Amino acid sequence: MMESVEKQTKRPHVVIVGAGFGGLACAQALGKSEIDVTVIDRRNHNLFQPLLYQVATAALSPADISEPIRRTLGRYPNIKVVMGEVTTVDQSRRTVGLKDGVSIPYDRLVLATGSDYNYFGHEDWQKHAPGLKSIHEARQIRHSLLLAFEKAERSEDEAEKRRLLTSVIIGGGPTGVEMAGAISELGRFMIARDFRSLRPDQLQVLLIEAGPRILASFPESLSQYAVDYLTRIGVDIRLNTPVEDVTPDGVAVGGALIPASCMVWGAGVKASPAAAWLGVPPGPGGRLQVASDLSVEGKSEIYALGDTALSTGEDGKPLPALAQVAKQQGTFLGKALKVNLLRGEPVPTFRFHNRGNTAVIGRNAAVFDFGSWQLKGRLAWLLWAIVHVYLLVNFEKRLLVSIQWIWRYATRQRGARIIDENAVAVDRPAADGQISN
Amino acid sequence: MMESVEKQTKRPHVVIVGAGFGGLACAQALGKSEIDVTVIDRRNHNLFQPLLYQVATAALSPADISEPIRRTLGRYPNIKVVMGEVTTVDQSRRTVGLKDGVSIPYDRLVLATGSDYNYFGHEDWQKHAPGLKSIHEARQIRHSLLLAFEKAERSEDEAEKRRLLTSVIIGGGPTGVEMAGAISELGRFMIARDFRSLRPDQLQVLLIEAGPRILASFPESLSQYAVDYLTRIGVDIRLNTPVEDVTPDGVAVGGALIPASCMVWGAGVKASPAAAWLGVPPGPGGRLQVASDLSVEGKSEIYALGDTALSTGEDGKPLPALAQVAKQQGTFLGKALKVNLLRGEPVPTFRFHNRGNTAVIGRNAAVFDFGSWQLKGRLAWLLWAIVHVYLLVNFEKRLLVSIQWIWRYATRQRGARIIDENAVAVDRPAADGQISN
């Protein structure tokens, strides 16, 4: 919306909450300008979430897909990074309040706080079936997966062995599909190569979707391709199957419990509590309704972008919660705020340029939807790999990760198959070093 | 000692406890033979400990220096890997008892259970000043180090800021020296590049040694070189300074508390509880006295090697607790047991071939002691780097790690500067994904 030129002696100050794709892009666009920028994040690193499932399945290390925020923004003298947790926003005094009591003043506030999985009121399910949003959760999943194989190798009890070798992925979106494919391929390969008393056919991977099809955000034909491919690599897909309960021992559907050891939640997305901070009613999925210039409805100094914002595309439909949307919005808003704050020009209307929606299904299978045309199979996988390696923010990582991929693609090896000692010997982590140095 | 040929219908069975350098080398030497081998370890991975300090200082990821034991031994059909914790040895029934009640029979038992740091009766100090023996501990240290910088950046209280920027390393052995050098270099570089409100001269790194010199296992001249180099890069070395107490707020020496945020324990080495399993009196450092054929004194079917064993070299002095000793003993014993069990020949006398003792001090400084001659400085660092890259058990890692080193050496960047969310928001780890995706 329109802004009048602000006469102020001090440099204008933009506060960005969240250093994900959107927040970082916004900060970088404001870099090396006459505007002071403060980036607040609970983490010290920016996480390349599209590849987080590879950490959960031991293909990559956390550091391969993480970048210290300070390193990314270190080259911009006008940007300050604060590691902290936002708990309040005082709109009258124009300050952001942190958990530890510190409050930071702003002239413009950009909310790029991302989203979390939606347990639809069953938050207690999260500890048994973590989502895939953080390194911590990816490690949890990796541990439960690898540890289950070790236990199964030693178990004499057939039923228990079956439970240990069963993984249940809840939600047939891109993350669920990626996890199901990766676990099935990793599991069968590991068993065949490294475990003496297990058989690949004992591995069970279930993909449970409440709706009528998986990859619902993609065209029907691509969903069908995913179903065919996953079924071929041994994933058991259950459609129209709402989850009734998640326990330490498994997942309940259709009144029966499916005994499982590794459970992953990939269903539904819920925006961060940003709406609560502003005291405005959240839109669908808890997202903040924003105007065409990404300002929060009725707030002239507060903007929201990425998964936090509910903005509509030219077709009038809400934009999807994708990294490319957040990134484009961040860059757009950063540039616009620079002009707006320094020259008083209004923030124009944001236009999303669709770069294509993609999901990887297996070792050389992926799908791409460019709207007007689609791509699937090995070629789509190659394109997916190229795009994602390219997107990795940091040159070193881009180089290393691509080498790891090429190597692993050839050898099918997994480099990060570590079970942390604290996960193994929870009772006495201090003694970890004792056996085997 | 002499062994008579054992007439037995079934294949002989060797049980190896611990898959460190010694245990793995022994197993590999027994690979693809007519002998059944079971390798028991509490971890699923073999850890390349000489580089663990680089994980603690965010230069490498855990996976870079870890190798799944199953992958290393997967190619040997006669070797079985069991992930479990040994708690007892029944010498009359010739079985090893695991924590979960399972017992595994053996014809020959090889104890390669390694060592742990010695807190000399102050085990409660460990939670404040962890040693550097496991990935879990390396992560702990990395967290406390990186988190302290983030807190210091935001702290207004000068005293608190000083405490947060103070690291104390206890023990002037190779690990202590490596950590002190790495923390000092990493800290000053990070502060100068990434932190707006900190000055490199605010960083304090103390290396505390109870004895009269650091690197006591090296010749005087190399110790002196280490002192000079460390002092030049800003490490404050305190000799003849026994630690009196370790608290959450710092380390007490000479009756006064040195306020510190990051404390690392690298003093003294204590062998695993193997001696207790056998009910024999442990030798110095809790090590098992072994004969020239590495059999435990008075036990004809039980062998010990590496840090677990106290074996004397040709000079009559006990062999040092070094990876190369464990490795050589493992290979020697594996080959010898093969001949012994299949052809009844006795296990000969083990002879150690000194490949040189080394310690890295900083970013292009290391020391080498080959007994007859020494090497120090940049050339020693290069040799050290080459040797260690070469030693990394797995080709992929060897390749990747060398690339990372070359790259980081040129850019001084740190790839693994991650603070896990569970370390940051210990109070509500479930909500990690919320702020910034």
Side-chain angles (χ1 to χ4, degrees):
Chain A
M1 52 201 48
M2 298 293 292
E3 287 290 340
S4 66
V5 188
E6 296 181 8
K7 298 262 167 297
Q8 45 190 1
T9 51
K10 69 165 181 51
R11 288 153 56 113
H13 186 205
V14 175
V15 171
I16 301 170
V17 183
F21 287 113
L24 271 186
C26 185
Q28 284 167 312
L30 284 161
K32 295 184 172 148
S33 73
E34 295 308 301
I35 297 169
D36 289 329
V37 179
T38 300
V39 175
I40 308 172
D41 199 306
R42 270 183 61 179
R43 299 175 181 166
N44 77 324
H45 56 278
N46 166 34
L47 189 59
F48 191 73
Q49 274 202 0
L51 293 182
L52 193 54
Y53 82 97
Q54 297 214 358
V55 173
T57 52
L60 293 176
S61 289
D64 297 332
I65 61 163
S66 307
E67 160 92 342
I69 296 165
R70 293 191 186 280
R71 188 201 290 176
T72 318
L73 301 178
R75 75 183 81 102
Y76 305 110
N78 63 316
I79 300 180
K80 189 160 181 280
V81 177
V82 171
M83 186 173 159
E85 181 181 351
V86 171
T87 50
T88 57
V89 173
D90 184 329
Q91 299 171 65
S92 54
R93 291 179 42 241
R94 284 190 181 180
T95 60
V96 171
L98 301 189
K99 196 178 184 181
D100 55 14
V102 178
S103 79
I104 300 169
Y106 65 83
D107 297 310
R108 296 287 183 283
L109 177 61
V110 177
L111 299 171
T113 51
S115 61
D116 201 354
Y117 286 108
N118 193 346
Y119 286 81
F120 306 104
H122 299 282
E123 266 54 33
D124 55 310
W125 292 355
Q126 186 163 26
K127 60 180 181 298
H128 311 310
L132 203 54
K133 281 282 178 186
S134 71
I135 283 172
H136 174 55
E137 288 162 310
R139 276 216 193 91
Q140 265 181 285
I141 293 166
R142 191 181 71 192
H143 289 159
S144 65
L145 192 63
L146 297 178
L147 206 48
F149 281 87
E150 295 293 340
K151 288 182 181 159
E153 169 82 350
R154 296 185 46 200
S155 169
E156 306 295 325
D157 174 340
E158 278 312 312
E160 174 63 359
K161 200 171 233 177
R162 188 177 171 76
R163 183 189 76 81
L164 287 166
L165 292 179
T166 301
S167 299
V168 177
I169 290 89
I170 299 141
T175 303
V177 166
E178 283 160 7
M179 282 300 291
I183 291 177
S184 185
E185 290 182 331
L186 165 67
R188 282 165 223 289
F189 174 68
M190 272 198 337
I191 288 178
R193 202 170 142 292
D194 295 342
F195 291 84
R196 300 270 174 272
S197 58
L198 302 178
R199 297 188 321 276
D201 64 304
Q202 291 175 306
L203 183 79
Q204 259 204 321
V205 181
L206 284 86
L207 179 59
I208 294 178
E209 166 59 44
R213 65 186 179 103
I214 61 173
L215 297 183
S217 62
F218 289 79
E220 194 90 40
S221 64
L222 297 183
S223 299
Q224 194 48 54
Y225 168 75
V227 170
D228 299 343
Y229 185 92
L230 288 175
T231 309
R232 199 162 66 249
I233 63 172
V235 176
D236 178 354
I237 302 173
R238 310 270 177 97
L239 300 173
N240 306 302
T241 308
V243 167
E244 288 148 7
D245 194 10
V246 179
T247 78
D249 308 316
V251 175
V253 293
L257 183 84
I258 303 170
S261 62
C262 176
M263 295 165 273
V264 182
W265 191 269
V269 164
K270 181 180 78 211
S272 74
W277 300 340
L278 303 185
V280 303
R287 303 173 82 176
L288 278 167
Q289 193 70 56
V290 296
S292 65
D293 66 350
L294 302 185
S295 66
V296 176
E297 288 293 3
K299 320 274 179 194
S300 55
E301 302 101 10
I302 304 177
Y303 297 82
L305 50 80
D307 292 5
T308 317
L310 189 69
S311 61
T312 45
E314 278 150 50
D315 58 1
K317 293 210 206 76
L319 294 175
L322 295 175
Q324 57 177 318
V325 174
K327 238 174 158 162
Q328 289 181 34
Q329 289 178 328
T331 308
F332 162 85
L333 189 59
K335 288 180 182 160
L337 283 177
K338 202 151 58 176
V339 179
N340 169 265
L341 286 167
L342 297 178
R343 300 215 298 275
E345 294 172 21
V347 175
T349 293
F350 169 75
R351 284 198 171 62
F352 171 59
H353 305 286
N354 184 5
R355 303 255 180 275
N357 191 7
T358 180
V360 65
I361 300 165
R363 200 162 166 263
N364 43 39
V367 293
F368 258 99
D369 173 24
F370 297 97
S372 50
W373 60 291
Q374 286 85 33
L375 192 65
K376 60 175 191 279
R378 184 185 294 264
L379 191 61
W381 185 88
L382 279 173
L383 182 58
W384 171 87
I386 292 163
V387 168
H388 282 74
V389 168
Y390 172 78
L391 285 176
L392 272 175
V393 274
N394 168 285
F395 169 76
E396 179 200 36
K397 293 200 179 60
R398 213 179 293 167
L399 172 71
L400 283 179
V401 172
S402 42
I403 290 165
Q404 291 189 49
W405 275 356
I406 293 159
W407 177 253
R408 295 214 172 97
Y409 187 74
T411 63
R412 292 172 145 261
Q413 288 188 346
R414 295 284 166 150
R417 266 170 49 194
I418 305 167
I419 302 177
D420 290 18
E421 301 84 351
N422 48 341
V424 180
V426 151
D427 44 333
R428 39 189 289 237
D432 291 336
Q434 266 179 5
I435 304 243
S436 84
N437 71 332
Chain B
M1 54 204 49
M2 298 293 293
E3 287 290 339
S4 64
V5 188
E6 294 180 7
K7 300 260 167 299
Q8 44 190 0
T9 51
K10 69 165 182 54
R11 291 154 55 116
H13 185 204
V14 174
V15 171
I16 301 170
V17 183
F21 287 113
L24 271 186
C26 185
Q28 284 168 312
L30 285 162
K32 295 188 174 147
S33 73
E34 294 307 302
I35 297 169
D36 289 329
V37 179
T38 301
V39 175
I40 308 172
D41 200 304
R42 269 182 63 178
R43 300 176 181 165
N44 78 322
H45 58 278
N46 166 33
L47 189 58
F48 191 75
Q49 274 201 2
L51 292 184
L52 193 55
Y53 83 97
Q54 297 213 358
V55 173
T57 52
L60 292 175
S61 289
D64 297 332
I65 61 163
S66 307
E67 160 93 341
I69 296 164
R70 293 190 185 280
R71 188 202 287 177
T72 318
L73 301 177
R75 74 182 81 103
Y76 306 110
N78 63 316
I79 301 180
K80 189 162 180 280
V81 177
V82 171
M83 185 175 161
E85 181 181 351
V86 171
T87 51
T88 58
V89 173
D90 184 330
Q91 299 172 66
S92 55
R93 292 178 44 242
R94 286 191 181 180
T95 59
V96 170
L98 302 188
K99 197 179 187 182
D100 56 12
V102 177
S103 80
I104 299 169
Y106 66 82
D107 296 312
R108 295 289 184 280
L109 176 61
V110 177
L111 298 171
T113 50
S115 59
D116 202 354
Y117 285 109
N118 193 347
Y119 285 82
F120 306 104
H122 298 283
E123 266 56 34
D124 54 311
W125 291 356
Q126 185 163 26
K127 59 179 179 300
H128 312 309
L132 203 54
K133 280 284 179 186
S134 70
I135 282 172
H136 174 54
E137 288 162 310
R139 276 216 194 91
Q140 266 181 283
I141 293 166
R142 191 181 69 192
H143 289 159
S144 65
L145 191 64
L146 297 179
L147 206 48
F149 281 85
E150 295 292 341
K151 287 181 182 161
E153 169 83 348
R154 296 184 47 201
S155 169
E156 307 295 325
D157 174 342
E158 278 312 311
E160 173 64 359
K161 200 171 231 176
R162 186 175 173 78
R163 184 189 75 81
L164 287 166
L165 292 178
T166 301
S167 299
V168 177
I169 290 88
I170 298 141
T175 304
V177 166
E178 284 160 6
M179 283 299 293
I183 291 178
S184 184
E185 290 181 331
L186 165 68
R188 283 165 223 290
F189 174 68
M190 272 197 337
I191 288 176
R193 203 170 141 291
D194 294 344
F195 291 84
R196 301 272 174 270
S197 58
L198 303 179
R199 296 189 322 276
D201 64 301
Q202 291 174 307
L203 184 77
Q204 258 205 322
V205 181
L206 285 87
L207 179 58
I208 294 178
E209 166 60 43
R213 64 186 180 102
I214 61 173
L215 296 183
S217 61
F218 288 79
E220 195 89 41
S221 64
L222 297 184
S223 298
Q224 195 47 54
Y225 169 76
V227 170
D228 298 342
Y229 185 94
L230 289 174
T231 310
R232 200 161 67 247
I233 63 172
V235 176
D236 177 354
I237 302 173
R238 309 271 178 94
L239 299 173
N240 306 303
T241 308
V243 167
E244 287 148 9
D245 194 11
V246 179
T247 76
D249 308 317
V251 176
V253 294
L257 183 83
I258 302 170
S261 63
C262 175
M263 294 163 275
V264 181
W265 190 269
V269 164
K270 183 180 77 209
S272 74
W277 300 340
L278 304 183
V280 303
R287 303 173 83 176
L288 278 165
Q289 193 70 55
V290 295
S292 64
D293 66 350
L294 302 185
S295 65
V296 177
E297 289 293 2
K299 319 274 177 192
S300 55
E301 302 101 10
I302 304 177
Y303 297 82
L305 50 78
D307 293 5
T308 317
L310 188 68
S311 59
T312 45
E314 278 149 48
D315 57 2
K317 293 211 207 75
L319 294 174
L322 294 175
Q324 57 177 318
V325 174
K327 239 176 158 162
Q328 289 181 34
Q329 289 178 329
T331 307
F332 162 85
L333 189 60
K335 287 181 182 158
L337 283 176
K338 203 154 55 177
V339 179
N340 170 265
L341 287 166
L342 298 176
R343 298 214 299 276
E345 295 172 20
V347 174
T349 294
F350 169 75
R351 283 195 170 64
F352 171 60
H353 305 288
N354 184 5
R355 303 255 180 275
N357 191 7
T358 181
V360 66
I361 300 166
R363 204 178 165 251
N364 51 41
V367 295
F368 258 99
D369 173 25
F370 296 98
S372 50
W373 61 290
Q374 285 85 32
L375 192 66
K376 59 175 192 273
R378 182 186 295 266
L379 192 60
W381 185 89
L382 279 174
L383 182 59
W384 172 87
I386 291 161
V387 167
H388 281 74
V389 169
Y390 172 79
L391 285 175
L392 273 174
V393 272
N394 168 287
F395 170 75
E396 179 200 34
K397 295 200 178 57
R398 213 179 294 166
L399 172 71
L400 283 179
V401 173
S402 42
I403 291 167
Q404 292 190 49
W405 274 355
I406 294 160
W407 177 252
R408 296 214 171 99
Y409 188 73
T411 62
R412 294 172 143 261
Q413 288 188 344
R414 294 284 166 149
R417 267 169 50 195
I418 305 167
I419 301 177
D420 291 16
E421 300 83 351
N422 48 340
V424 181
V426 148
D427 44 333
R428 41 189 288 237
D432 290 335
Q434 266 180 6
I435 304 247
S436 86
N437 71 334

